[in-house]
Amino acid sequence: MARSVARPSLADVLVSQGVVSKQALEGTLRRLDGASATLGQVLVEQGLLSEDQLARALAAQYGLPYDSLTSFQVDPRYYETISVKLMQRFPFIPIADRDGVLTIVIADPQNVLGLDELEILIGKRLELIISSKSAILAALDRSAGSNQALRELEAEYRSVLVKEDERGEEVLTIDHAGEDQSPAVKLLDSILLSAMQRRSSDIHIEAADRATKVKFRVDGILIQAMEPLDIRLHAPLVSRLKVMAELDIAERRVPQDGSFRMRLDRKVVDFRVSILPSVFGESVVVRILDRESITTGVSALKLERLGFNPEDLKRFRRAIMRPYGMILVTGPTGSGKTTTLYAAISEMNTLEDKLITIEDPVEYQFSGVVQIPVNEKKGLTFARGLRSILRHDPDKIMVGEIRDPETAQIAIQSALTGHLVLTTVHANNVFDVIGRFASMGIDAYNFLAALNCVLAQRLVRMLCPHCRMPVKAQQSLIEESGLDYEQFKDTVFYEGKGCGHCLDTGFRGRQCITEFLDLTDEIKEMILAERPLSEIRYRAVTDGMITLRQSALKKVINGETSLREINRVTFSEEG
């Protein structure tokens, strides 16, 4: 494969294309100490460059054609000679094969050693086209090869369970049940691998009257994973999961909870299993915690990437830089509270401060932060751990969740004695938090004295950039959304029509909408004086608070999400 030697640098190409300013590039290069090989990736991680822009710049730098791969599907004949696993590992896509020359789409033309290895493995000379890595992976996902990938994975992987010995160290155990030809074993492996391929956070296995339904939760919404299975497969599937999670196979009448860990091709994935008895059989939910994707996400995690509106972002950043007090993040389960706290920690993890966290479980390890996992069985609760943390000379503390009066009391005392405490609590909005702590029997005066601010948040699905299209909203939908039809009748709204990139849902990924309440002296006095909630809310909005509903509407007006989606997540009365 002929490769040109004299070519412009990536920095020169980006400046000439006007994609990144020279000043921003110089700053990044200074931080990299001139290691320009990683420049593109660093710019993408910093949000200064999109993957698509990087791909176009690399194509220009190497004098190669560019292809966006929109709705592209791989020709099935290539799967007969090239392994899908090889395509996903590199990643690349074959698109033409003429006269012993294979034309492939790749994301990284700088990887010369990898390309040489690929030429040897395939046994053909390669011609290159450039696209972004996510576009290549999306094309592989929506091609017929994704099913073949599952078949390959099924054949190759056996359930290698990772268990812990008494010292908490990982011990590999080969589960021989995976080596037989049991349909339930192979089917469960397929379901787990398919769920990971489709970015699922949970797998639901439900027994119906005459069938077993398997659903995946993707971007917060349940989608059907496959055609309903024969009801006779339900009991073996659940039993297999129980064996993996070390639960009681014979017990089918009471709820059971467990977990297991699997190593798949050097990648460790945690699964948490919850089993409930139902009318037609046991219902199972498996939560997927992919450590590698969490690590990748958090390492590049910055608050501005979460979807905060600029005003709330500025206020929240100011709050986490205060020397003491309590910062509360609130919202229902699965609203991204922990992710927000992780982003806050990644921004304030300085060498001068001692940061200690207590979590259930610890989902990601931060360097330079002492992290304690809650262990209820061994008696390490949030309250007991928090009490020990205070004797460990911390500056800043993160408490995963306040669930009981004892934890709340210690957290408040910590905030009052000169520590910055970040924590979460389940409540619907910033004002419900006050009532939540009152119901725990917490003294309002101490609580308000400790509290700096409350951030309420929800997650809304973002429209898929590949199939997003402008639509004229119907009058009924605008009025149902609590908006004035005359004011919004000419507004261009957007919806996703569904494509291969987003599994035909019209949405891809989620961002948070926020409601930030700064506890000013005036607001604290009104709460202590037990003023009506409507009066306190009016005062907060007058002071510049943006409600959840207003935050959501901004995303709709900007074309980032749809009216139907924000109606699903927030009430029109909240605005």
Side-chain angles (χ1 to χ4, degrees), residues 255-269:
Q256 293 191 70
D257 293 294
S259 63
F260 61 92
R261 189 174 288 171
M262 285 180 78
R263 191 187 298 282
L264 301 175
D265 192 25
R266 299 184 302 280
K267 180 178 182 178
V268 173
V269 185

Side-chain angles (χ1 to χ4, degrees), residues 148-165:
Q148 180 167 337
L150 270 179
R151 285 196 294 276
E152 284 184 19
L153 288 164
E154 274 178 54
E156 183 176 336
Y157 292 138
R158 290 293 172 245
S159 302
V160 183
L161 293 186
V162 183
K163 297 176 184 174
E164 291 185 358
D165 64 10

Side-chain angles (χ1 to χ4, degrees), residues 336-390:
K337 302 186 293 294
T338 306
T339 306
T340 298
L341 290 186
Y342 275 163
I345 285 175
S346 69
E347 290 204 6
M348 67 191 202
N349 179 12
T350 60
L351 297 172
E352 296 88 17
D353 288 331
K354 175 89 167 183
L355 260 83
I356 306 182
T357 75
I358 179 160
E359 307 167 58
D360 183 19
V362 173
E363 290 181 14
Y364 170 75
Q365 284 83 42
F366 283 97
S367 62
V369 179
V370 177
Q371 293 174 275
I372 304 167
V374 165
N375 190 335
E376 301 273 358
K377 288 178 185 172
K378 298 281 167 74
L380 177 53
T381 60
F382 274 114
R384 190 171 175 184
L386 188 49
R387 206 176 276 113
S388 299
I389 286 171
L390 291 173

Side-chain angles (χ1 to χ4, degrees), residues 326 328 382-384 386-387 390 399 401-416 421 423-425 433-434 436-443 446-448 450-451:
M326 182 187 279
L328 263 179
F382 274 114
R384 190 171 175 184
L386 188 49
R387 206 176 276 113
L390 291 173
V399 183
E401 186 188 337
I402 289 182
R403 298 174 180 167
D404 56 81
E406 193 182 0
T407 309
Q409 202 69 57
I410 304 166
I412 289 164
Q413 290 305 319
S414 308
L416 289 171
V421 179
T423 186
T424 72
V425 70
V433 169
I434 317 295
R436 183 92 172 79
F437 275 81
S439 69
M440 289 187 199
I442 303 299
D443 176 55
N446 275 346
F447 173 53
L448 290 170
L451 195 59

Side-chain angles (χ1 to χ4, degrees), residues 230-520:
D230 191 307
I231 191 66
R232 287 172 295 183
L233 274 169
H234 186 78
L237 263 181
V238 176
S239 294
R240 170 69 180 151
L241 269 169
K242 284 180 178 177
V243 168
M244 293 168 83
E246 297 183 321
L247 300 175
D248 185 352
I249 295 179
E251 184 55 76
R252 297 183 179 182
R253 291 161 299 179
V254 296
Q256 293 191 70
D257 293 294
S259 63
F260 61 92
R261 189 174 288 171
M262 285 180 78
R263 191 187 298 282
L264 301 175
D265 192 25
R266 299 184 302 280
K267 180 178 182 178
V268 173
V269 185
D270 287 311
F271 298 89
R272 278 190 266 160
V273 182
S274 174
I275 299 177
L276 283 175
S278 71
V279 177
F280 297 111
E282 289 171 295
S283 175
V284 183
V285 174
V286 182
R287 165 65 57 90
I288 302 170
L289 289 170
D290 183 350
R291 286 179 173 188
E292 193 172 289
S293 69
I294 291 169
T295 302
T296 308
V298 178
S299 61
L301 198 54
K302 295 285 177 285
L303 284 168
E304 61 265 17
R305 288 183 150 205
L306 301 183
F308 279 69
N309 58 64
E311 297 89 341
D312 285 354
L313 178 60
K314 201 183 298 175
R315 291 171 189 154
F316 188 64
R317 274 212 170 111
R318 202 182 304 137
I320 63 174
M321 292 308 162
R322 290 175 187 169
Y324 56 85
M326 182 187 279
I327 293 167
L328 263 179
V329 181
T330 184
T333 305
S335 58
K337 302 186 293 294
T338 306
T339 306
T340 298
L341 290 186
Y342 275 163
I345 285 175
S346 69
E347 290 204 6
M348 67 191 202
N349 179 12
T350 60
L351 297 172
E352 296 88 17
D353 288 331
K354 175 89 167 183
L355 260 83
I356 306 182
T357 75
I358 179 160
E359 307 167 58
D360 183 19
V362 173
E363 290 181 14
Y364 170 75
Q365 284 83 42
F366 283 97
S367 62
V369 179
V370 177
Q371 293 174 275
I372 304 167
V374 165
N375 190 335
E376 301 273 358
K377 288 178 185 172
K378 298 281 167 74
L380 177 53
T381 60
F382 274 114
R384 190 171 175 184
L386 188 49
R387 206 176 276 113
S388 299
I389 286 171
L390 291 173
R391 295 194 288 271
H392 215 72
D393 188 29
D395 295 295
K396 294 171 181 175
I397 303 166
M398 175 186 140
V399 183
E401 186 188 337
I402 289 182
R403 298 174 180 167
D404 56 81
E406 193 182 0
T407 309
Q409 202 69 57
I410 304 166
I412 289 164
Q413 290 305 319
S414 308
L416 289 171
T417 52
H419 303 93
L420 185 71
V421 179
L422 295 94
T423 186
T424 72
V425 70
H426 288 294
N428 287 326
N429 57 50
V430 292
F431 298 103
D432 284 355
V433 169
I434 317 295
R436 183 92 172 79
F437 275 81
S439 69
M440 289 187 199
I442 303 299
D443 176 55
Y445 184 83
N446 275 346
F447 173 53
L448 290 170
L451 195 59
N452 288 349
C453 63
V454 184
L455 177 79
Q457 69 176 61
R458 299 284 190 284
L459 289 175
V460 293
R461 293 182 297 165
M462 308 308 285
L463 292 170
C464 173
H466 301 280
C467 62
R468 189 188 75 145
M469 54 188 288
V471 294
K472 189 168 175 62
Q474 299 170 345
Q475 183 173 351
S476 57
L477 179 61
I478 292 175
E479 287 171 353
E480 276 169 27
S481 305
L483 303 175
D484 179 11
Y485 176 68
E486 290 303 315
Q487 185 183 344
F488 287 92
K489 65 180 179 182
D490 297 322
T491 303
V492 177
F493 294 100
Y494 288 84
E495 283 183 9
K497 64 177 181 180
C499 66
H501 290 273
C502 58
L503 306 173
D504 291 319
T505 60
F507 296 93
R508 187 173 175 88
R510 291 186 291 175
Q511 284 195 350
C512 63
I513 52 169
T514 54
E515 177 176 276
F516 184 89
L517 176 66
D518 207 343
L519 268 289
T520 61

Side-chain angles (χ1 to χ4, degrees), residues 64-177:
L64 295 168
Y66 166 84
D67 192 329
S68 66
L69 295 178
T70 308
S71 302
F72 179 84
Q73 293 210 353
V74 182
D75 190 328
R77 67 191 168 96
Y78 290 115
Y79 297 126
E80 294 168 17
T81 54
I82 304 171
S83 159
V84 179
K85 191 161 171 281
L86 182 64
M87 294 185 202
Q88 289 174 330
R89 180 168 67 85
F90 196 77
F92 74 94
I93 285 177
I95 60 169
D97 188 359
R98 293 188 198 90
D99 305 323
V101 178
L102 183 70
T103 305
I104 63 170
V105 184
I106 62 161
D108 185 10
Q110 301 172 58
N111 185 4
V112 178
L113 288 173
L115 288 167
D116 288 341
E117 181 195 353
L118 203 56
E119 270 192 347
I120 293 165
L121 289 171
I122 293 174
K124 293 185 179 179
R125 195 161 66 81
L126 300 178
E127 277 190 0
L128 306 180
I129 295 174
I130 306 297
S131 189
S132 69
K133 184 178 178 180
S134 58
I136 293 169
L137 293 173
L140 283 169
D141 275 353
R142 66 174 168 267
S143 301
S146 60
N147 292 329
Q148 180 167 337
L150 270 179
R151 285 196 294 276
E152 284 184 19
L153 288 164
E154 274 178 54
E156 183 176 336
Y157 292 138
R158 290 293 172 245
S159 302
V160 183
L161 293 186
V162 183
K163 297 176 184 174
E164 291 185 358
D165 64 10
E166 288 178 1
R167 290 172 302 175
E169 293 173 0
E170 289 184 357
V171 179
L172 281 181
T173 59
I174 304 297
D175 187 348
H176 296 289

